[in-house]
Amino acid sequence: MRIAVIGQSLFGQEVYKELRKDGAVAGCAIIILSLSPAATEAEKDGVPVFKFPRWRLKGQAVQEVVTQYKATGAELNVLPFCSQFIPMEVIDHPRHGSIIYHPSLLPRHRGASAINWTLIHGDKKGGFTVFWADDGLDTGPILLQRECAVEPNDTVNTIYKRFLFPEGVKGTIDWNQSAEALHNWIRGNDKVPGAWAEVDGQKVTFYGSSLVDNGTAVNGQPLEIPGASQPGIVTKSGLVLFGNDGKTLLVKNLQFEDGKMIAAAQYFRSGSSAAVELTEEEKTFAAVWQSILSNVSQIEDSTDFFKSGAASMDVVRLVEEVKLRASSCQLQNEDVYMNTTFQDFIQMCVRKLRGEDDEEELVVDYVEKNINNMTIKMPHQLFINGEFVDAEGGKTYKTINPTDGAAICDVSLAQISDVDRAVGAAKEAFEEGEWGKMNPRDRGRLIYRLADLMEEHQEELATIEAIDSGAVYTLALKTHVGMSIQTFRYFAGWCDKIQGSTIPINQARPNRNLTFTKKEPMGVCAIVIPWNYPLMMLAWKTAACLAAGNTVVLKPAQVTPLTALKFAELAARAGLPKGVINILPGSGALVGQRLSDHPDVRKLGFTGSTEIGKHIMKSCAVSNVKKVSLELGGKSPLIIFSDCEMDKAVRMGMSSVFFNKGENCIAAGRLFVEDSIHDLFVQRVVEEVKKMKIGDPLDRSTDHGPQNHKAHLDKLVEYCQTGVKEGATLVCGGRQVQRPGFFFEPTVFTDVQDHTYIAKEESFGPVMIISKFKSGEVDDVLRRANATEYGLASGVFTRDISKALYVSERLNAGTVFVNTYNKTDVAAPFGGFKQSGFGKDLGQEALNEYLKTKAVTIEY
């Protein structure tokens, strides 16, 4: 590379000497105003030295001088401590621009006397800045800064000789730095003019840098980077570079001297480090572009399809014409949207034709089990940035089958560093990746494809749900998995229907104004879900979150992680880009807390207990006032009037309590039965309870499976013991089933008084609490039903439509069921009042939880 060193100081001489020592520098021209140490050193080496009396005359560049300068063929200007006014014709001429060393910590002090002002102002810290020169050598993008303590007796000479001179020489050109410094250098140059190195005899420029976790094992092919502390490694994720502190950064893209850019992960593909060269046949693809972009005189590598006027119909035409010319090159519309320049598009097509663009293989370390007449394959590691990886330190825990109490497998246990990695991946995917740039309709297609894959694997998902959470298989198939699939399909359809509105404003005269709103995604969203519906709770929140255009870091319940990890695998196979979905099994105290506190998380959606919800809300407020939605506890009242349809009231009343073993947030926590039918209702319920088959959830005849985990089983036993002590009548049940596993009998209490513990607190289990109310006292039973801090759901059974509407209006709950119960639907909003939380899952309203509204006003 030819570098022009412009300046006349001793500092310039040392920079020149360092450049000559660096084998990456192919040539050097010293350009000075007078004799200098740099010129003397250069002349010894036979390097051209140009001595100009001045660059400008009366504010204008001296053209003769500029012509001589351009003849040097400089590709980069290095201006070490240069205070002259260099013409912009010189500053902008090299293809890599001009960098300048400045002896202060910009923006604190500027100008030639910057060191003096550091001392005059009594600054405690001094240092230097290397930046890309702008007009008049003003500050362009900053490449790096170094600082030092200013000692009490420092002078200009001492601080210059002790730090600014020696460290400045190294800092200007040294690639042997910490990982963070390398990262800052690369991102500071991205996209123009680029940070580069000589690799395999050719100049390679690095783009798309991100810091990565230092504890992650790096597997791939080594690549020598001259001047680096150790070789880089080409991995399937990109090029990993090592700082001299042992920490790492990841580079996503590389560009070669001929302008071709490739993914860093493809460096060694096809035995060539360069981008693919086209055959004559392959070059005919240019004719397709030319026929569509008839307004463009010549198609060049830099020609942008859309900036040249192409529209969505032209995308379809382009895809179809390519298929006609090369049937093996099967493109999708999103391929065009993601490769908008001719260079990117043609390289993508050719790689597809040559079989070099196969999707990266997803590596999954399955735990396999032959169960339920099938072989289920379960991922058990964390899912971060499109890969299954071990937790920091290889930490794991055992997930337990509640049917027999035996361990299913070891699952990776996420640590704080894993959370930070996942959030970083989600942030990059949102801000820099395909997802944030994707057409909403294409995003919807990917989500719909994910739903299709879930349907293909529904039996496997339901089986995993049964052994991990104790859900009865048939219920898991219909509800846990079936409704999850429906949810993703529903929200896939919303992707291209998210829109704002135009608003007439009053402050219009005397000018004209247009005000409109835009609905925009939040960014990185954290989702924390409970153990009662592991997959369905994931779907309810994640589907809306993705449809709105966000990226996700999800923490499943520690005791039920397996369907979430299987979901991650299916999402990757559906083609969702890396980083869009990240799954972190782990403890709430560690993973959930870090997500609540993390400054890069902009929204947190939580389903769980009111106690934990309050804690999360506080943490989210203190950290960065992140948006929160909470679906919390419930003590849902169900009022059954004497004019109900008795058979239906009994059947639905039982379902309202015992559905999913009572592990149901909207379960009827207390039934109010009119006194004239109370005894008959209790008798009918007990008869039906005694018929319920308790057992293996994979047995198709099982009605009632095990409770989810041992700690919850113990709480149910304690809950029922409390009810007995409070004087309620235990009609049936109330005991742990004496067999392996965590089984608890369906239980019925009557004569429950309003002030007692079991009348106020939810059991979250198969415990029916029945109280009487007097005939005709509708307002009184409503008062009793609403006398709770919860407000998630409620229900009423009556044939009297006027009474039903009256009661439904006055029940203080987010959902009211009339002559039915548990009838949730993907199109109907779901969420509670009071201490049951706020915000909605499902329906159009759920999208608002993951969107922000921006108002734009234009005067014209």
Side-chain angles (χ1 to χ4, degrees), residues 334 434-435 438-452 485 487-498 543-549 574-577 847:
E334 55 259 38
E434 299 175 41
W435 193 249
M438 191 174 291
N439 179 291
R441 187 163 296 173
D442 293 330
R443 189 164 61 237
R445 277 198 279 264
L446 287 180
I447 296 172
Y448 205 94
R449 192 182 303 166
L450 170 58
D452 286 345
I485 295 167
T487 303
F488 277 102
R489 286 200 173 124
Y490 173 80
F491 282 106
W494 268 111
C495 289
D496 61 352
K497 300 172 185 67
I498 297 170
C545 182
L546 294 177
L576 271 71
L847 292 167

mmCIF file of all heavy atoms in Angstrom, residues 334 434-435 438-452 485 487-498 543-549 574-577 847:
data_model
loop_
_atom_site.group_PDB
_atom_site.id
_atom_site.type_symbol
_atom_site.label_atom_id
_atom_site.label_comp_id
_atom_site.label_asym_id
_atom_site.label_seq_id
_atom_site.Cartn_x
_atom_site.Cartn_y
_atom_site.Cartn_z
ATOM 1 N N GLU A 334 -37.043 -12.187 -0.982
ATOM 2 C CA GLU A 334 -36.167 -11.576 0.027
ATOM 3 C C GLU A 334 -34.705 -11.612 -0.386
ATOM 4 O O GLU A 334 -33.902 -10.805 0.082
ATOM 5 C CB GLU A 334 -36.355 -12.241 1.399
ATOM 6 C CG GLU A 334 -36.171 -13.737 1.425
ATOM 7 C CD GLU A 334 -37.495 -14.471 1.436
ATOM 8 O OE1 GLU A 334 -38.442 -14.021 0.749
ATOM 9 O OE2 GLU A 334 -37.599 -15.481 2.137
ATOM 10 N N GLU A 434 -30.489 -8.868 8.983
ATOM 11 C CA GLU A 434 -31.539 -8.976 7.973
ATOM 12 C C GLU A 434 -32.919 -8.636 8.529
ATOM 13 O O GLU A 434 -33.750 -8.050 7.852
ATOM 14 C CB GLU A 434 -31.582 -10.404 7.424
ATOM 15 C CG GLU A 434 -30.324 -10.878 6.738
ATOM 16 C CD GLU A 434 -30.441 -12.343 6.355
ATOM 17 O OE1 GLU A 434 -31.518 -12.735 5.892
ATOM 18 O OE2 GLU A 434 -29.467 -13.087 6.544
ATOM 19 N N TRP A 435 -33.172 -9.045 9.768
ATOM 20 C CA TRP A 435 -34.520 -8.929 10.338
ATOM 21 C C TRP A 435 -35.002 -7.483 10.340
ATOM 22 O O TRP A 435 -36.141 -7.189 9.956
ATOM 23 C CB TRP A 435 -34.512 -9.487 11.753
ATOM 24 C CG TRP A 435 -35.868 -9.704 12.347
ATOM 25 C CD1 TRP A 435 -36.444 -9.011 13.374
ATOM 26 C CD2 TRP A 435 -36.834 -10.705 11.983
ATOM 27 N NE1 TRP A 435 -37.684 -9.502 13.670
ATOM 28 C CE2 TRP A 435 -37.951 -10.547 12.825
ATOM 29 C CE3 TRP A 435 -36.846 -11.708 11.029
ATOM 30 C CZ2 TRP A 435 -39.066 -11.366 12.748
ATOM 31 C CZ3 TRP A 435 -37.964 -12.519 10.942
ATOM 32 C CH2 TRP A 435 -39.059 -12.347 11.792
ATOM 33 N N MET A 438 -35.896 -6.328 6.819
ATOM 34 C CA MET A 438 -36.747 -7.212 6.024
ATOM 35 C C MET A 438 -38.112 -6.596 5.754
ATOM 36 O O MET A 438 -38.714 -5.944 6.619
ATOM 37 C CB MET A 438 -36.912 -8.550 6.760
ATOM 38 C CG MET A 438 -37.549 -9.645 5.930
ATOM 39 S SD MET A 438 -37.547 -11.235 6.804
ATOM 40 C CE MET A 438 -35.804 -11.631 6.802
ATOM 41 N N ASN A 439 -38.597 -6.820 4.542
ATOM 42 C CA ASN A 439 -39.950 -6.431 4.181
ATOM 43 C C ASN A 439 -40.940 -7.120 5.128
ATOM 44 O O ASN A 439 -40.815 -8.319 5.385
ATOM 45 C CB ASN A 439 -40.199 -6.857 2.725
ATOM 46 C CG ASN A 439 -41.581 -6.523 2.246
ATOM 47 O OD1 ASN A 439 -42.560 -7.105 2.699
ATOM 48 N ND2 ASN A 439 -41.664 -5.603 1.309
ATOM 49 N N PRO A 440 -41.931 -6.394 5.680
ATOM 50 C CA PRO A 440 -42.859 -7.004 6.645
ATOM 51 C C PRO A 440 -43.548 -8.258 6.122
ATOM 52 O O PRO A 440 -43.765 -9.211 6.867
ATOM 53 C CB PRO A 440 -43.870 -5.891 6.930
ATOM 54 C CG PRO A 440 -43.116 -4.633 6.658
ATOM 55 C CD PRO A 440 -42.185 -4.949 5.528
ATOM 56 N N ARG A 441 -43.871 -8.261 4.836
ATOM 57 C CA ARG A 441 -44.552 -9.437 4.287
ATOM 58 C C ARG A 441 -43.622 -10.645 4.277
ATOM 59 O O ARG A 441 -44.035 -11.768 4.554
ATOM 60 C CB ARG A 441 -45.051 -9.134 2.880
ATOM 61 C CG ARG A 441 -45.913 -10.239 2.285
ATOM 62 C CD ARG A 441 -46.704 -9.733 1.111
ATOM 63 N NE ARG A 441 -47.649 -8.714 1.514
ATOM 64 C CZ ARG A 441 -48.382 -7.993 0.663
ATOM 65 N NH1 ARG A 441 -48.257 -8.195 -0.630
ATOM 66 N NH2 ARG A 441 -49.231 -7.082 1.103
ATOM 67 N N ASP A 442 -42.344 -10.406 3.982
ATOM 68 C CA ASP A 442 -41.381 -11.507 4.015
ATOM 69 C C ASP A 442 -41.165 -11.999 5.446
ATOM 70 O O ASP A 442 -40.986 -13.188 5.683
ATOM 71 C CB ASP A 442 -40.052 -11.061 3.404
ATOM 72 C CG ASP A 442 -40.171 -10.792 1.919
ATOM 73 O OD1 ASP A 442 -41.018 -11.447 1.277
ATOM 74 O OD2 ASP A 442 -39.443 -9.934 1.394
ATOM 75 N N ARG A 443 -41.199 -11.068 6.385
ATOM 76 C CA ARG A 443 -41.109 -11.465 7.792
ATOM 77 C C ARG A 443 -42.288 -12.345 8.167
ATOM 78 O O ARG A 443 -42.145 -13.352 8.866
ATOM 79 C CB ARG A 443 -41.058 -10.216 8.673
ATOM 80 C CG ARG A 443 -40.751 -10.513 10.128
ATOM 81 C CD ARG A 443 -40.332 -9.264 10.882
ATOM 82 N NE ARG A 443 -41.361 -8.240 10.889
ATOM 83 C CZ ARG A 443 -41.207 -7.003 10.436
ATOM 84 N NH1 ARG A 443 -40.062 -6.629 9.924
ATOM 85 N NH2 ARG A 443 -42.198 -6.130 10.480
ATOM 86 N N GLY A 444 -43.478 -11.981 7.665
ATOM 87 C CA GLY A 444 -44.657 -12.793 7.929
ATOM 88 C C GLY A 444 -44.540 -14.183 7.337
ATOM 89 O O GLY A 444 -44.975 -15.173 7.942
ATOM 90 N N ARG A 445 -43.927 -14.266 6.140
ATOM 91 C CA ARG A 445 -43.756 -15.580 5.513
ATOM 92 C C ARG A 445 -42.855 -16.474 6.350
ATOM 93 O O ARG A 445 -43.097 -17.683 6.472
ATOM 94 C CB ARG A 445 -43.200 -15.414 4.102
ATOM 95 C CG ARG A 445 -44.262 -15.116 3.054
ATOM 96 C CD ARG A 445 -43.749 -15.385 1.661
ATOM 97 N NE ARG A 445 -42.944 -14.288 1.180
ATOM 98 C CZ ARG A 445 -43.407 -13.292 0.410
ATOM 99 N NH1 ARG A 445 -44.664 -13.287 0.053
ATOM 100 N NH2 ARG A 445 -42.618 -12.328 -0.003
ATOM 101 N N LEU A 446 -41.806 -15.908 6.930
ATOM 102 C CA LEU A 446 -40.917 -16.706 7.781
ATOM 103 C C LEU A 446 -41.645 -17.191 9.027
ATOM 104 O O LEU A 446 -41.478 -18.338 9.457
ATOM 105 C CB LEU A 446 -39.683 -15.889 8.176
ATOM 106 C CG LEU A 446 -38.639 -15.644 7.092
ATOM 107 C CD1 LEU A 446 -37.480 -14.829 7.641
ATOM 108 C CD2 LEU A 446 -38.114 -16.962 6.535
ATOM 109 N N ILE A 447 -42.462 -16.317 9.618
ATOM 110 C CA ILE A 447 -43.211 -16.718 10.814
ATOM 111 C C ILE A 447 -44.221 -17.804 10.461
ATOM 112 O O ILE A 447 -44.427 -18.760 11.218
ATOM 113 C CB ILE A 447 -43.896 -15.492 11.454
ATOM 114 C CG1 ILE A 447 -42.842 -14.489 11.939
ATOM 115 C CG2 ILE A 447 -44.790 -15.910 12.616
ATOM 116 C CD1 ILE A 447 -43.415 -13.167 12.418
ATOM 117 N N TYR A 448 -44.842 -17.665 9.296
ATOM 118 C CA TYR A 448 -45.800 -18.691 8.861
ATOM 119 C C TYR A 448 -45.087 -20.016 8.586
ATOM 120 O O TYR A 448 -45.598 -21.100 8.914
ATOM 121 C CB TYR A 448 -46.534 -18.223 7.602
ATOM 122 C CG TYR A 448 -47.880 -18.871 7.420
ATOM 123 C CD1 TYR A 448 -49.041 -18.267 7.889
ATOM 124 C CD2 TYR A 448 -47.998 -20.108 6.798
ATOM 125 C CE1 TYR A 448 -50.287 -18.873 7.734
ATOM 126 C CE2 TYR A 448 -49.236 -20.719 6.631
ATOM 127 C CZ TYR A 448 -50.372 -20.093 7.107
ATOM 128 O OH TYR A 448 -51.592 -20.703 6.958
ATOM 129 N N ARG A 449 -43.892 -19.932 8.014
ATOM 130 C CA ARG A 449 -43.094 -21.140 7.771
ATOM 131 C C ARG A 449 -42.749 -21.818 9.102
ATOM 132 O O ARG A 449 -42.743 -23.053 9.203
ATOM 133 C CB ARG A 449 -41.825 -20.767 7.020
ATOM 134 C CG ARG A 449 -41.051 -21.964 6.464
ATOM 135 C CD ARG A 449 -39.773 -21.491 5.777
ATOM 136 N NE ARG A 449 -40.032 -20.530 4.720
ATOM 137 C CZ ARG A 449 -39.094 -19.765 4.163
ATOM 138 N NH1 ARG A 449 -37.842 -19.858 4.568
ATOM 139 N NH2 ARG A 449 -39.405 -18.922 3.199
ATOM 140 N N LEU A 450 -42.476 -21.023 10.109
ATOM 141 C CA LEU A 450 -42.210 -21.564 11.444
ATOM 142 C C LEU A 450 -43.439 -22.299 11.971
ATOM 143 O O LEU A 450 -43.323 -23.403 12.531
ATOM 144 C CB LEU A 450 -41.815 -20.431 12.385
ATOM 145 C CG LEU A 450 -41.724 -20.753 13.875
ATOM 146 C CD1 LEU A 450 -40.732 -21.873 14.144
ATOM 147 C CD2 LEU A 450 -41.329 -19.497 14.659
ATOM 148 N N ALA A 451 -44.620 -21.720 11.782
ATOM 149 C CA ALA A 451 -45.851 -22.387 12.217
ATOM 150 C C ALA A 451 -46.035 -23.719 11.505
ATOM 151 O O ALA A 451 -46.454 -24.716 12.107
ATOM 152 C CB ALA A 451 -47.056 -21.474 11.984
ATOM 153 N N ASP A 452 -45.712 -23.744 10.215
ATOM 154 C CA ASP A 452 -45.822 -24.994 9.455
ATOM 155 C C ASP A 452 -44.887 -26.065 10.026
ATOM 156 O O ASP A 452 -45.255 -27.244 10.145
ATOM 157 C CB ASP A 452 -45.489 -24.757 7.984
ATOM 158 C CG ASP A 452 -46.592 -24.020 7.240
ATOM 159 O OD1 ASP A 452 -47.721 -23.950 7.777
ATOM 160 O OD2 ASP A 452 -46.326 -23.520 6.131
ATOM 161 N N ILE A 485 -49.463 -23.035 17.484
ATOM 162 C CA ILE A 485 -49.388 -22.978 16.020
ATOM 163 C C ILE A 485 -50.367 -21.929 15.492
ATOM 164 O O ILE A 485 -50.024 -21.103 14.634
ATOM 165 C CB ILE A 485 -49.698 -24.362 15.420
ATOM 166 C CG1 ILE A 485 -48.607 -25.365 15.826
ATOM 167 C CG2 ILE A 485 -49.811 -24.275 13.894
ATOM 168 C CD1 ILE A 485 -48.969 -26.812 15.552
ATOM 169 N N THR A 487 -51.439 -19.345 16.995
ATOM 170 C CA THR A 487 -50.981 -18.005 17.380
ATOM 171 C C THR A 487 -49.946 -17.481 16.399
ATOM 172 O O THR A 487 -50.017 -16.322 15.961
ATOM 173 C CB THR A 487 -50.403 -18.031 18.803
ATOM 174 O OG1 THR A 487 -51.395 -18.530 19.713
ATOM 175 C CG2 THR A 487 -49.972 -16.643 19.245
ATOM 176 N N PHE A 488 -48.982 -18.321 16.031
ATOM 177 C CA PHE A 488 -47.969 -17.870 15.077
ATOM 178 C C PHE A 488 -48.590 -17.595 13.708
ATOM 179 O O PHE A 488 -48.212 -16.627 13.033
ATOM 180 C CB PHE A 488 -46.835 -18.887 14.977
ATOM 181 C CG PHE A 488 -45.814 -18.727 16.074
ATOM 182 C CD1 PHE A 488 -45.812 -19.582 17.164
ATOM 183 C CD2 PHE A 488 -44.884 -17.706 16.025
ATOM 184 C CE1 PHE A 488 -44.886 -19.424 18.186
ATOM 185 C CE2 PHE A 488 -43.952 -17.536 17.044
ATOM 186 C CZ PHE A 488 -43.954 -18.399 18.125
ATOM 187 N N ARG A 489 -49.557 -18.411 13.293
ATOM 188 C CA ARG A 489 -50.200 -18.163 12.000
ATOM 189 C C ARG A 489 -50.999 -16.847 12.033
ATOM 190 O O ARG A 489 -50.991 -16.071 11.080
ATOM 191 C CB ARG A 489 -51.109 -19.332 11.644
ATOM 192 C CG ARG A 489 -50.328 -20.563 11.211
ATOM 193 C CD ARG A 489 -51.184 -21.533 10.410
ATOM 194 N NE ARG A 489 -50.349 -22.595 9.879
ATOM 195 C CZ ARG A 489 -50.540 -23.886 10.092
ATOM 196 N NH1 ARG A 489 -51.568 -24.293 10.817
ATOM 197 N NH2 ARG A 489 -49.735 -24.792 9.574
ATOM 198 N N TYR A 490 -51.672 -16.625 13.141
ATOM 199 C CA TYR A 490 -52.467 -15.400 13.269
ATOM 200 C C TYR A 490 -51.580 -14.164 13.173
ATOM 201 O O TYR A 490 -51.864 -13.229 12.403
ATOM 202 C CB TYR A 490 -53.215 -15.424 14.603
ATOM 203 C CG TYR A 490 -53.944 -14.144 14.928
ATOM 204 C CD1 TYR A 490 -55.188 -13.865 14.367
ATOM 205 C CD2 TYR A 490 -53.384 -13.207 15.789
ATOM 206 C CE1 TYR A 490 -55.858 -12.679 14.662
ATOM 207 C CE2 TYR A 490 -54.054 -12.028 16.098
ATOM 208 C CZ TYR A 490 -55.283 -11.770 15.526
ATOM 209 O OH TYR A 490 -55.945 -10.597 15.810
ATOM 210 N N PHE A 491 -50.482 -14.137 13.926
ATOM 211 C CA PHE A 491 -49.633 -12.944 13.934
ATOM 212 C C PHE A 491 -48.778 -12.827 12.678
ATOM 213 O O PHE A 491 -48.362 -11.723 12.317
ATOM 214 C CB PHE A 491 -48.783 -12.904 15.199
ATOM 215 C CG PHE A 491 -49.557 -12.447 16.405
ATOM 216 C CD1 PHE A 491 -49.932 -13.342 17.391
ATOM 217 C CD2 PHE A 491 -49.933 -11.125 16.535
ATOM 218 C CE1 PHE A 491 -50.662 -12.928 18.492
ATOM 219 C CE2 PHE A 491 -50.678 -10.689 17.627
ATOM 220 C CZ PHE A 491 -51.042 -11.601 18.611
ATOM 221 N N ALA A 492 -48.531 -13.952 11.988
ATOM 222 C CA ALA A 492 -47.845 -13.860 10.697
ATOM 223 C C ALA A 492 -48.652 -12.983 9.740
ATOM 224 O O ALA A 492 -48.098 -12.217 8.941
ATOM 225 C CB ALA A 492 -47.639 -15.250 10.102
ATOM 226 N N GLY A 493 -49.967 -13.078 9.841
ATOM 227 C CA GLY A 493 -50.835 -12.276 8.987
ATOM 228 C C GLY A 493 -50.858 -10.807 9.344
ATOM 229 O O GLY A 493 -51.278 -9.969 8.528
ATOM 230 N N TRP A 494 -50.423 -10.457 10.551
ATOM 231 C CA TRP A 494 -50.437 -9.055 10.972
ATOM 232 C C TRP A 494 -49.196 -8.294 10.515
ATOM 233 O O TRP A 494 -49.168 -7.057 10.560
ATOM 234 C CB TRP A 494 -50.527 -8.958 12.495
ATOM 235 C CG TRP A 494 -51.942 -8.867 13.000
ATOM 236 C CD1 TRP A 494 -52.635 -9.805 13.703
ATOM 237 C CD2 TRP A 494 -52.830 -7.766 12.834
ATOM 238 N NE1 TRP A 494 -53.903 -9.361 13.978
ATOM 239 C CE2 TRP A 494 -54.047 -8.105 13.456
ATOM 240 C CE3 TRP A 494 -52.721 -6.528 12.204
ATOM 241 C CZ2 TRP A 494 -55.138 -7.250 13.477
ATOM 242 C CZ3 TRP A 494 -53.809 -5.663 12.226
ATOM 243 C CH2 TRP A 494 -55.008 -6.034 12.854
ATOM 244 N N CYS A 495 -48.146 -9.004 10.090
ATOM 245 C CA CYS A 495 -46.861 -8.346 9.839
ATOM 246 C C CYS A 495 -46.960 -7.166 8.883
ATOM 247 O O CYS A 495 -46.339 -6.124 9.096
ATOM 248 C CB CYS A 495 -45.849 -9.360 9.308
ATOM 249 S SG CYS A 495 -45.282 -10.543 10.544
ATOM 250 N N ASP A 496 -47.725 -7.313 7.807
ATOM 251 C CA ASP A 496 -47.804 -6.237 6.815
ATOM 252 C C ASP A 496 -49.063 -5.390 6.976
ATOM 253 O O ASP A 496 -49.480 -4.696 6.052
ATOM 254 C CB ASP A 496 -47.725 -6.808 5.400
ATOM 255 C CG ASP A 496 -48.859 -7.778 5.084
ATOM 256 O OD1 ASP A 496 -49.625 -8.121 6.004
ATOM 257 O OD2 ASP A 496 -48.971 -8.205 3.920
ATOM 258 N N LYS A 497 -49.666 -5.434 8.175
ATOM 259 C CA LYS A 497 -50.875 -4.635 8.417
ATOM 260 C C LYS A 497 -50.698 -3.682 9.601
ATOM 261 O O LYS A 497 -51.677 -3.113 10.096
ATOM 262 C CB LYS A 497 -52.068 -5.566 8.659
ATOM 263 C CG LYS A 497 -52.348 -6.480 7.467
ATOM 264 C CD LYS A 497 -53.386 -7.525 7.772
ATOM 265 C CE LYS A 497 -53.553 -8.481 6.600
ATOM 266 N NZ LYS A 497 -52.342 -9.324 6.369
ATOM 267 N N ILE A 498 -49.471 -3.541 10.051
ATOM 268 C CA ILE A 498 -49.176 -2.607 11.148
ATOM 269 C C ILE A 498 -49.014 -1.225 10.532
ATOM 270 O O ILE A 498 -48.165 -1.015 9.672
ATOM 271 C CB ILE A 498 -47.905 -3.039 11.897
ATOM 272 C CG1 ILE A 498 -48.126 -4.399 12.555
ATOM 273 C CG2 ILE A 498 -47.512 -1.995 12.925
ATOM 274 C CD1 ILE A 498 -46.869 -5.019 13.119
ATOM 275 N N ALA A 543 -44.870 -14.516 19.281
ATOM 276 C CA ALA A 543 -45.461 -14.315 17.954
ATOM 277 C C ALA A 543 -45.776 -12.842 17.714
ATOM 278 O O ALA A 543 -45.451 -12.291 16.655
ATOM 279 C CB ALA A 543 -46.719 -15.168 17.807
ATOM 280 N N ALA A 544 -46.394 -12.188 18.682
ATOM 281 C CA ALA A 544 -46.701 -10.760 18.539
ATOM 282 C C ALA A 544 -45.422 -9.939 18.489
ATOM 283 O O ALA A 544 -45.303 -8.977 17.725
ATOM 284 C CB ALA A 544 -47.588 -10.298 19.690
ATOM 285 N N CYS A 545 -44.464 -10.320 19.304
ATOM 286 C CA CYS A 545 -43.185 -9.611 19.368
ATOM 287 C C CYS A 545 -42.463 -9.656 18.018
ATOM 288 O O CYS A 545 -41.964 -8.642 17.525
ATOM 289 C CB CYS A 545 -42.329 -10.232 20.471
ATOM 290 S SG CYS A 545 -40.750 -9.427 20.717
ATOM 291 N N LEU A 546 -42.411 -10.827 17.401
ATOM 292 C CA LEU A 546 -41.752 -10.982 16.103
ATOM 293 C C LEU A 546 -42.530 -10.278 15.000
ATOM 294 O O LEU A 546 -41.945 -9.648 14.115
ATOM 295 C CB LEU A 546 -41.591 -12.457 15.765
ATOM 296 C CG LEU A 546 -40.661 -13.284 16.657
ATOM 297 C CD1 LEU A 546 -40.686 -14.741 16.224
ATOM 298 C CD2 LEU A 546 -39.245 -12.741 16.627
ATOM 299 N N ALA A 547 -43.847 -10.390 15.039
ATOM 300 C CA ALA A 547 -44.665 -9.742 14.007
ATOM 301 C C ALA A 547 -44.444 -8.235 14.004
ATOM 302 O O ALA A 547 -44.475 -7.597 12.949
ATOM 303 C CB ALA A 547 -46.142 -10.061 14.232
ATOM 304 N N ALA A 548 -44.200 -7.673 15.188
ATOM 305 C CA ALA A 548 -43.956 -6.236 15.286
ATOM 306 C C ALA A 548 -42.562 -5.854 14.814
ATOM 307 O O ALA A 548 -42.258 -4.665 14.687
ATOM 308 C CB ALA A 548 -44.167 -5.778 16.734
ATOM 309 N N GLY A 549 -41.701 -6.840 14.571
ATOM 310 C CA GLY A 549 -40.374 -6.563 14.034
ATOM 311 C C GLY A 549 -39.257 -6.549 15.044
ATOM 312 O O GLY A 549 -38.145 -6.114 14.743
ATOM 313 N N ALA A 574 -36.625 -22.828 10.060
ATOM 314 C CA ALA A 574 -37.586 -22.054 9.269
ATOM 315 C C ALA A 574 -36.917 -20.892 8.551
ATOM 316 O O ALA A 574 -37.517 -20.287 7.660
ATOM 317 C CB ALA A 574 -38.707 -21.535 10.167
ATOM 318 N N GLY A 575 -35.680 -20.570 8.929
ATOM 319 C CA GLY A 575 -34.950 -19.506 8.248
ATOM 320 C C GLY A 575 -34.932 -18.184 8.967
ATOM 321 O O GLY A 575 -34.472 -17.177 8.408
ATOM 322 N N LEU A 576 -35.402 -18.135 10.221
ATOM 323 C CA LEU A 576 -35.306 -16.881 10.951
ATOM 324 C C LEU A 576 -33.831 -16.546 11.155
ATOM 325 O O LEU A 576 -33.050 -17.402 11.573
ATOM 326 C CB LEU A 576 -36.019 -16.962 12.304
ATOM 327 C CG LEU A 576 -37.506 -16.588 12.267
ATOM 328 C CD1 LEU A 576 -38.321 -17.652 11.556
ATOM 329 C CD2 LEU A 576 -38.039 -16.339 13.661
ATOM 330 N N PRO A 577 -33.424 -15.326 10.854
ATOM 331 C CA PRO A 577 -31.991 -14.982 10.918
ATOM 332 C C PRO A 577 -31.421 -15.141 12.321
ATOM 333 O O PRO A 577 -32.141 -15.122 13.331
ATOM 334 C CB PRO A 577 -31.973 -13.511 10.488
ATOM 335 C CG PRO A 577 -33.221 -13.312 9.709
ATOM 336 C CD PRO A 577 -34.242 -14.217 10.348
ATOM 337 N N LEU A 847 -50.119 -6.525 19.714
ATOM 338 C CA LEU A 847 -49.068 -5.876 18.931
ATOM 339 C C LEU A 847 -48.618 -4.578 19.578
ATOM 340 O O LEU A 847 -47.433 -4.213 19.523
ATOM 341 C CB LEU A 847 -49.559 -5.601 17.510
ATOM 342 C CG LEU A 847 -49.796 -6.834 16.635
ATOM 343 C CD1 LEU A 847 -50.570 -6.438 15.382
ATOM 344 C CD2 LEU A 847 -48.478 -7.486 16.254
#
